[in-house]
Amino acid sequence: MNRHQSGAFSRPFTFDRVVRLLISVAAIGVAVWLVGLLKSVLLPFLVAWLIAYLLEPFVQYNKRLLRVRNRWLPISVTLFECVLILCTVAVFVMPSVVSEMHQVASFVRHYSETGTDIPFVPASLHEYLRDNIDFETISKHLTRQDIKTILNAAGSFISGGYNVVMSVLNWFIMVLYVVFIMIDYERLLAGFKRMVPPRYRGVTFRIADDIKRSMNHYFRGQSLIAFLVGVLFAIGFSIIGLPLAIAFGLFVGLLNLVPYLQLISLIPATILCLVYSVDGTVGFWHIWLETMAVYIVVQAIQDFILTPKIMGKTMGLNPAIILLSLSIWGSLMGFIGLIIALPLTTLLLSYYDIYISNREDGETPDEHKRDEETFKEIVES
């Protein structure tokens, strides 16, 4: 920490400085308000930027593999691979998912009409579930066989035709955003760096490195872990014969984008086991224990194999901080807040670490590390 940075906090809070601080706070408030006002326009761009960011490693890999300098061919190959993978998954997975949805619909309908008798599970619990969960509606939505719902959906589509057209147009624009951002990805990053005044580049680039490291851990690393965990859950649920194995397994993996958030899926997993046991072919406790075994095995694979191999020893932000930042920024800005939550949180933490932490008095990183070790010894003693 240089004298200029440490001296920033030794200056008195004069009227001019207070006014500047208030103006800065007002500017931040106006920025948040503008994002909320323009979220329908900004959302496709931010989603496109996130997709381009996630696909950039594959573009670089294809660029090295093809040994070309331009980005057109690697980008085309990357997009073709993505479309091919999505189509392959749709062709091989969707028929099985649709069949399982009809199977679960019959279980749900039977449970809503007759219920079931499970040892060690009180009948009042079944009554509570049937009173508070509309299983009949769930069954209809799973099969999509109710004509009234189809007609209502068609009427809504016709009456809201303008909104539908605008939504399709926005997401088509998002596809164009993805292509254009991927083409000029390196040039855009270099342009952002040149926009920073030279006197602020040291601190700005340091904060940018913190954001990049957290982004790599969260968006790229955690996305890969979530995908692999979803595949493992789908395989495990398929082995034990749980209905909706593929769809529910991938859903649990999607929850894992926030570390350990997949644990909230234990409740729907238990209800799924409950409705599956109504026909008497399998006992509730038998399928429930097998489901819990899948959770334990996949969690062990994630904690001891996937996370150390993909993330490394540096884990980035604490999962609780990630969940809190997603909740706060999501409440303030909606889906846009979910996308920019991690960069903004990392920016605030980096700013705190540089300007407000106890290193502002000129303490060197080695001295700071020794203070942390001393504090740790005091706590342990």
PDB file of all heavy atoms in Angstrom, residues 236-259:
ATOM      1  N   GLY A 236     -26.944 -42.318 -11.262  1.00  0.00           N
ATOM      2  CA  GLY A 236     -27.285 -42.976 -10.002  1.00  0.00           C
ATOM      3  C   GLY A 236     -28.776 -43.196  -9.849  1.00  0.00           C
ATOM      4  O   GLY A 236     -29.218 -44.297  -9.459  1.00  0.00           O
ATOM      5  N   PHE A 237     -29.581 -42.185 -10.166  1.00  0.00           N
ATOM      6  CA  PHE A 237     -31.037 -42.340 -10.066  1.00  0.00           C
ATOM      7  C   PHE A 237     -31.556 -43.377 -11.069  1.00  0.00           C
ATOM      8  O   PHE A 237     -32.523 -44.089 -10.788  1.00  0.00           O
ATOM      9  CB  PHE A 237     -31.722 -40.997 -10.295  1.00  0.00           C
ATOM     10  CG  PHE A 237     -31.493 -39.993  -9.200  1.00  0.00           C
ATOM     11  CD1 PHE A 237     -31.524 -38.629  -9.466  1.00  0.00           C
ATOM     12  CD2 PHE A 237     -31.218 -40.408  -7.901  1.00  0.00           C
ATOM     13  CE1 PHE A 237     -31.309 -37.705  -8.454  1.00  0.00           C
ATOM     14  CE2 PHE A 237     -30.989 -39.493  -6.882  1.00  0.00           C
ATOM     15  CZ  PHE A 237     -31.037 -38.144  -7.164  1.00  0.00           C
ATOM     16  N   SER A 238     -30.932 -43.448 -12.245  1.00  0.00           N
ATOM     17  CA  SER A 238     -31.343 -44.449 -13.232  1.00  0.00           C
ATOM     18  C   SER A 238     -31.032 -45.853 -12.741  1.00  0.00           C
ATOM     19  O   SER A 238     -31.809 -46.788 -12.970  1.00  0.00           O
ATOM     20  CB  SER A 238     -30.650 -44.188 -14.569  1.00  0.00           C
ATOM     21  OG  SER A 238     -30.977 -42.910 -15.085  1.00  0.00           O
ATOM     22  N   ILE A 239     -29.896 -46.032 -12.069  1.00  0.00           N
ATOM     23  CA  ILE A 239     -29.511 -47.361 -11.572  1.00  0.00           C
ATOM     24  C   ILE A 239     -30.504 -47.857 -10.526  1.00  0.00           C
ATOM     25  O   ILE A 239     -30.906 -49.037 -10.527  1.00  0.00           O
ATOM     26  CB  ILE A 239     -28.083 -47.315 -10.998  1.00  0.00           C
ATOM     27  CG1 ILE A 239     -27.075 -47.081 -12.127  1.00  0.00           C
ATOM     28  CG2 ILE A 239     -27.755 -48.612 -10.247  1.00  0.00           C
ATOM     29  CD1 ILE A 239     -25.650 -46.916 -11.653  1.00  0.00           C
ATOM     30  N   ILE A 240     -30.929 -46.976  -9.617  1.00  0.00           N
ATOM     31  CA  ILE A 240     -31.854 -47.414  -8.561  1.00  0.00           C
ATOM     32  C   ILE A 240     -33.297 -47.420  -9.043  1.00  0.00           C
ATOM     33  O   ILE A 240     -34.190 -47.883  -8.308  1.00  0.00           O
ATOM     34  CB  ILE A 240     -31.735 -46.523  -7.319  1.00  0.00           C
ATOM     35  CG1 ILE A 240     -32.201 -45.088  -7.615  1.00  0.00           C
ATOM     36  CG2 ILE A 240     -30.319 -46.533  -6.782  1.00  0.00           C
ATOM     37  CD1 ILE A 240     -32.213 -44.189  -6.395  1.00  0.00           C
ATOM     38  N   GLY A 241     -33.573 -46.921 -10.255  1.00  0.00           N
ATOM     39  CA  GLY A 241     -34.915 -46.972 -10.813  1.00  0.00           C
ATOM     40  C   GLY A 241     -35.829 -45.860 -10.366  1.00  0.00           C
ATOM     41  O   GLY A 241     -37.059 -46.005 -10.433  1.00  0.00           O
ATOM     42  N   LEU A 242     -35.282 -44.734  -9.927  1.00  0.00           N
ATOM     43  CA  LEU A 242     -36.114 -43.615  -9.498  1.00  0.00           C
ATOM     44  C   LEU A 242     -36.753 -42.953 -10.715  1.00  0.00           C
ATOM     45  O   LEU A 242     -36.082 -42.706 -11.709  1.00  0.00           O
ATOM     46  CB  LEU A 242     -35.264 -42.595  -8.738  1.00  0.00           C
ATOM     47  CG  LEU A 242     -36.004 -41.439  -8.064  1.00  0.00           C
ATOM     48  CD1 LEU A 242     -36.810 -41.944  -6.875  1.00  0.00           C
ATOM     49  CD2 LEU A 242     -35.032 -40.357  -7.615  1.00  0.00           C
ATOM     50  N   PRO A 243     -38.059 -42.650 -10.663  1.00  0.00           N
ATOM     51  CA  PRO A 243     -38.686 -41.975 -11.804  1.00  0.00           C
ATOM     52  C   PRO A 243     -38.072 -40.595 -12.037  1.00  0.00           C
ATOM     53  O   PRO A 243     -37.546 -39.962 -11.122  1.00  0.00           O
ATOM     54  CB  PRO A 243     -40.159 -41.861 -11.367  1.00  0.00           C
ATOM     55  CG  PRO A 243     -40.341 -42.885 -10.316  1.00  0.00           C
ATOM     56  CD  PRO A 243     -39.022 -43.010  -9.619  1.00  0.00           C
ATOM     57  N   LEU A 244     -38.190 -40.135 -13.277  1.00  0.00           N
ATOM     58  CA  LEU A 244     -37.615 -38.853 -13.673  1.00  0.00           C
ATOM     59  C   LEU A 244     -36.126 -38.788 -13.344  1.00  0.00           C
ATOM     60  O   LEU A 244     -35.608 -37.742 -12.943  1.00  0.00           O
ATOM     61  CB  LEU A 244     -38.346 -37.684 -12.998  1.00  0.00           C
ATOM     62  CG  LEU A 244     -39.734 -37.334 -13.529  1.00  0.00           C
ATOM     63  CD1 LEU A 244     -40.339 -36.181 -12.735  1.00  0.00           C
ATOM     64  CD2 LEU A 244     -39.687 -36.975 -15.005  1.00  0.00           C
ATOM     65  N   ALA A 245     -35.442 -39.911 -13.508  1.00  0.00           N
ATOM     66  CA  ALA A 245     -34.039 -40.002 -13.102  1.00  0.00           C
ATOM     67  C   ALA A 245     -33.173 -38.986 -13.837  1.00  0.00           C
ATOM     68  O   ALA A 245     -32.376 -38.273 -13.223  1.00  0.00           O
ATOM     69  CB  ALA A 245     -33.526 -41.423 -13.344  1.00  0.00           C
ATOM     70  N   ILE A 246     -33.329 -38.893 -15.155  1.00  0.00           N
ATOM     71  CA  ILE A 246     -32.468 -38.015 -15.938  1.00  0.00           C
ATOM     72  C   ILE A 246     -32.804 -36.553 -15.673  1.00  0.00           C
ATOM     73  O   ILE A 246     -31.921 -35.740 -15.377  1.00  0.00           O
ATOM     74  CB  ILE A 246     -32.597 -38.337 -17.437  1.00  0.00           C
ATOM     75  CG1 ILE A 246     -32.133 -39.781 -17.710  1.00  0.00           C
ATOM     76  CG2 ILE A 246     -31.801 -37.355 -18.273  1.00  0.00           C
ATOM     77  CD1 ILE A 246     -32.306 -40.217 -19.150  1.00  0.00           C
ATOM     78  N   ALA A 247     -34.092 -36.222 -15.771  1.00  0.00           N
ATOM     79  CA  ALA A 247     -34.493 -34.832 -15.581  1.00  0.00           C
ATOM     80  C   ALA A 247     -34.194 -34.350 -14.165  1.00  0.00           C
ATOM     81  O   ALA A 247     -33.647 -33.259 -13.965  1.00  0.00           O
ATOM     82  CB  ALA A 247     -35.985 -34.671 -15.889  1.00  0.00           C
ATOM     83  N   PHE A 248     -34.535 -35.170 -13.177  1.00  0.00           N
ATOM     84  CA  PHE A 248     -34.307 -34.756 -11.799  1.00  0.00           C
ATOM     85  C   PHE A 248     -32.818 -34.723 -11.474  1.00  0.00           C
ATOM     86  O   PHE A 248     -32.342 -33.843 -10.735  1.00  0.00           O
ATOM     87  CB  PHE A 248     -35.031 -35.710 -10.838  1.00  0.00           C
ATOM     88  CG  PHE A 248     -34.977 -35.280  -9.401  1.00  0.00           C
ATOM     89  CD1 PHE A 248     -35.616 -34.122  -8.991  1.00  0.00           C
ATOM     90  CD2 PHE A 248     -34.281 -36.024  -8.465  1.00  0.00           C
ATOM     91  CE1 PHE A 248     -35.556 -33.716  -7.661  1.00  0.00           C
ATOM     92  CE2 PHE A 248     -34.223 -35.626  -7.143  1.00  0.00           C
ATOM     93  CZ  PHE A 248     -34.871 -34.464  -6.740  1.00  0.00           C
ATOM     94  N   GLY A 249     -32.047 -35.650 -12.021  1.00  0.00           N
ATOM     95  CA  GLY A 249     -30.607 -35.649 -11.794  1.00  0.00           C
ATOM     96  C   GLY A 249     -29.941 -34.415 -12.358  1.00  0.00           C
ATOM     97  O   GLY A 249     -29.096 -33.789 -11.699  1.00  0.00           O
ATOM     98  N   LEU A 250     -30.328 -34.026 -13.589  1.00  0.00           N
ATOM     99  CA  LEU A 250     -29.766 -32.810 -14.177  1.00  0.00           C
ATOM    100  C   LEU A 250     -30.219 -31.567 -13.413  1.00  0.00           C
ATOM    101  O   LEU A 250     -29.470 -30.593 -13.301  1.00  0.00           O
ATOM    102  CB  LEU A 250     -30.177 -32.704 -15.643  1.00  0.00           C
ATOM    103  CG  LEU A 250     -29.616 -33.797 -16.575  1.00  0.00           C
ATOM    104  CD1 LEU A 250     -30.138 -33.621 -17.990  1.00  0.00           C
ATOM    105  CD2 LEU A 250     -28.095 -33.801 -16.556  1.00  0.00           C
ATOM    106  N   PHE A 251     -31.443 -31.599 -12.875  1.00  0.00           N
ATOM    107  CA  PHE A 251     -31.918 -30.481 -12.071  1.00  0.00           C
ATOM    108  C   PHE A 251     -31.094 -30.326 -10.794  1.00  0.00           C
ATOM    109  O   PHE A 251     -30.733 -29.206 -10.404  1.00  0.00           O
ATOM    110  CB  PHE A 251     -33.398 -30.687 -11.724  1.00  0.00           C
ATOM    111  CG  PHE A 251     -33.925 -29.725 -10.702  1.00  0.00           C
ATOM    112  CD1 PHE A 251     -34.146 -28.403 -11.043  1.00  0.00           C
ATOM    113  CD2 PHE A 251     -34.189 -30.143  -9.406  1.00  0.00           C
ATOM    114  CE1 PHE A 251     -34.634 -27.505 -10.094  1.00  0.00           C
ATOM    115  CE2 PHE A 251     -34.674 -29.263  -8.461  1.00  0.00           C
ATOM    116  CZ  PHE A 251     -34.895 -27.936  -8.809  1.00  0.00           C
ATOM    117  N   VAL A 252     -30.766 -31.441 -10.159  1.00  0.00           N
ATOM    118  CA  VAL A 252     -29.920 -31.383  -8.959  1.00  0.00           C
ATOM    119  C   VAL A 252     -28.539 -30.841  -9.315  1.00  0.00           C
ATOM    120  O   VAL A 252     -27.942 -30.056  -8.565  1.00  0.00           O
ATOM    121  CB  VAL A 252     -29.812 -32.773  -8.306  1.00  0.00           C
ATOM    122  CG1 VAL A 252     -28.874 -32.741  -7.110  1.00  0.00           C
ATOM    123  CG2 VAL A 252     -31.187 -33.262  -7.868  1.00  0.00           C
ATOM    124  N   GLY A 253     -28.013 -31.241 -10.465  1.00  0.00           N
ATOM    125  CA  GLY A 253     -26.734 -30.693 -10.910  1.00  0.00           C
ATOM    126  C   GLY A 253     -26.807 -29.200 -11.169  1.00  0.00           C
ATOM    127  O   GLY A 253     -25.868 -28.462 -10.859  1.00  0.00           O
ATOM    128  N   LEU A 254     -27.939 -28.736 -11.722  1.00  0.00           N
ATOM    129  CA  LEU A 254     -28.113 -27.303 -11.961  1.00  0.00           C
ATOM    130  C   LEU A 254     -28.105 -26.529 -10.645  1.00  0.00           C
ATOM    131  O   LEU A 254     -27.535 -25.431 -10.564  1.00  0.00           O
ATOM    132  CB  LEU A 254     -29.420 -27.061 -12.711  1.00  0.00           C
ATOM    133  CG  LEU A 254     -29.747 -25.613 -13.068  1.00  0.00           C
ATOM    134  CD1 LEU A 254     -28.717 -25.064 -14.048  1.00  0.00           C
ATOM    135  CD2 LEU A 254     -31.146 -25.508 -13.673  1.00  0.00           C
ATOM    136  N   LEU A 255     -28.720 -27.086  -9.617  1.00  0.00           N
ATOM    137  CA  LEU A 255     -28.695 -26.430  -8.309  1.00  0.00           C
ATOM    138  C   LEU A 255     -27.276 -26.298  -7.779  1.00  0.00           C
ATOM    139  O   LEU A 255     -26.968 -25.366  -7.021  1.00  0.00           O
ATOM    140  CB  LEU A 255     -29.546 -27.224  -7.306  1.00  0.00           C
ATOM    141  CG  LEU A 255     -31.058 -27.241  -7.533  1.00  0.00           C
ATOM    142  CD1 LEU A 255     -31.727 -28.128  -6.489  1.00  0.00           C
ATOM    143  CD2 LEU A 255     -31.635 -25.836  -7.475  1.00  0.00           C
ATOM    144  N   ASN A 256     -26.399 -27.190  -8.197  1.00  0.00           N
ATOM    145  CA  ASN A 256     -25.030 -27.181  -7.697  1.00  0.00           C
ATOM    146  C   ASN A 256     -24.196 -26.048  -8.273  1.00  0.00           C
ATOM    147  O   ASN A 256     -23.018 -25.915  -7.932  1.00  0.00           O
ATOM    148  CB  ASN A 256     -24.360 -28.524  -8.015  1.00  0.00           C
ATOM    149  CG  ASN A 256     -23.149 -28.785  -7.150  1.00  0.00           C
ATOM    150  OD1 ASN A 256     -23.262 -28.766  -5.924  1.00  0.00           O
ATOM    151  ND2 ASN A 256     -22.003 -29.020  -7.762  1.00  0.00           N
ATOM    152  N   LEU A 257     -24.777 -25.214  -9.138  1.00  0.00           N
ATOM    153  CA  LEU A 257     -24.079 -24.004  -9.571  1.00  0.00           C
ATOM    154  C   LEU A 257     -23.730 -23.133  -8.375  1.00  0.00           C
ATOM    155  O   LEU A 257     -22.725 -22.421  -8.391  1.00  0.00           O
ATOM    156  CB  LEU A 257     -24.941 -23.222 -10.563  1.00  0.00           C
ATOM    157  CG  LEU A 257     -25.004 -23.796 -11.984  1.00  0.00           C
ATOM    158  CD1 LEU A 257     -26.014 -23.031 -12.817  1.00  0.00           C
ATOM    159  CD2 LEU A 257     -23.641 -23.766 -12.644  1.00  0.00           C
ATOM    160  N   VAL A 258     -24.581 -23.165  -7.360  1.00  0.00           N
ATOM    161  CA  VAL A 258     -24.237 -22.601  -6.056  1.00  0.00           C
ATOM    162  C   VAL A 258     -23.813 -23.771  -5.182  1.00  0.00           C
ATOM    163  O   VAL A 258     -24.611 -24.682  -4.934  1.00  0.00           O
ATOM    164  CB  VAL A 258     -25.423 -21.864  -5.414  1.00  0.00           C
ATOM    165  CG1 VAL A 258     -25.036 -21.327  -4.042  1.00  0.00           C
ATOM    166  CG2 VAL A 258     -25.890 -20.737  -6.315  1.00  0.00           C
ATOM    167  N   PRO A 259     -22.566 -23.815  -4.719  1.00  0.00           N
ATOM    168  CA  PRO A 259     -22.067 -24.987  -3.992  1.00  0.00           C
ATOM    169  C   PRO A 259     -22.988 -25.387  -2.838  1.00  0.00           C
ATOM    170  O   PRO A 259     -23.421 -24.552  -2.041  1.00  0.00           O
ATOM    171  CB  PRO A 259     -20.699 -24.509  -3.475  1.00  0.00           C
ATOM    172  CG  PRO A 259     -20.282 -23.456  -4.454  1.00  0.00           C
ATOM    173  CD  PRO A 259     -21.547 -22.766  -4.865  1.00  0.00           C
TER     174      PRO A 259
END
